[in-house]
């Protein structure tokens, strides 16, 4: 897995290098690209050492969607900020719970 070579895994590092971040919902497929101001607001909320690696959050992009937003970073194209192993765990969890 090719994670950012500049080490931008924490919010502090993402802000320092100006890394572009987006989320995509695994259910409704909605996409949101974060502005630098949104990254700063997230860092203020959870701390600058917070890592987006292998993180996800419930979809709030589409009203009523119960899917999960997964993080991606931009490096020529948007690449996942999660490992194949984590993607498999999420997939198995979804199957076992019937969760969207």
């Amino acid at each position: 897995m090719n994670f950012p070579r500049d080490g931008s895994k924490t919010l502090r590092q993402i802000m320092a290098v100006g890394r572009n971040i987006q989320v995509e919902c695994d259910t409704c497929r909605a996409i949101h690209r974060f502005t630098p101001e949104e990254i700063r607001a997230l860092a203020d909320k959870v701390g600058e050492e917070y890592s987006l690696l292998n993180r996800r959050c419930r979809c709030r992009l589409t009203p009523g969607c119960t899917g999960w937003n997964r993080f991606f970073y931009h490096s020529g194209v948007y690449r996942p900020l999660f490992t194949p192993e984590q993607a498999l765990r999420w997939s198995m969890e979804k199957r076992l719970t019937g969760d969207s």
Side-chain angles (χ1 to χ4, degrees):
M1 174 108 313
N2 295 327
F3 291 111
R5 292 177 191 206
D6 57 19
S8 56
K9 294 177 191 162
T10 67
L11 294 175
R12 176 189 311 278
Q13 294 163 330
I14 287 167
M15 291 183 299
V17 298
R19 175 73 65 194
N20 292 319
I21 301 293
Q22 76 176 27
V23 291
E24 179 180 341
C25 178
D26 67 357
T27 301
C28 71
R29 298 292 184 215
I31 294 172
H32 175 74
R33 292 191 175 132
F34 285 86
T35 65
E37 294 79 19
E38 289 171 320
I39 296 292
R40 174 78 257 162
L42 180 59
D44 289 344
K45 181 179 178 181
V46 298
E48 291 185 355
E49 295 309 311
Y50 188 83
S51 174
L52 298 178
L53 181 62
N54 290 329
R55 302 281 183 162
R56 64 182 181 167
C57 59
R58 282 290 184 187
C59 181
R60 290 178 284 189
L61 304 175
T62 302
C65 181
T66 58
W68 291 96
N69 288 334
R70 295 181 292 179
F71 292 90
F72 294 79
Y73 70 97
H74 190 263
S75 181
V77 296
Y78 278 93
R79 301 174 189 277
L81 263 170
F82 49 90
T83 61
E85 296 82 10
Q86 184 63 48
L88 180 61
R89 280 191 289 275
W90 288 334
S91 179
M92 294 301 294
E93 179 183 284
K94 191 173 184 176
R95 286 186 192 139
L96 291 172
T97 64
D99 195 12
S100 297

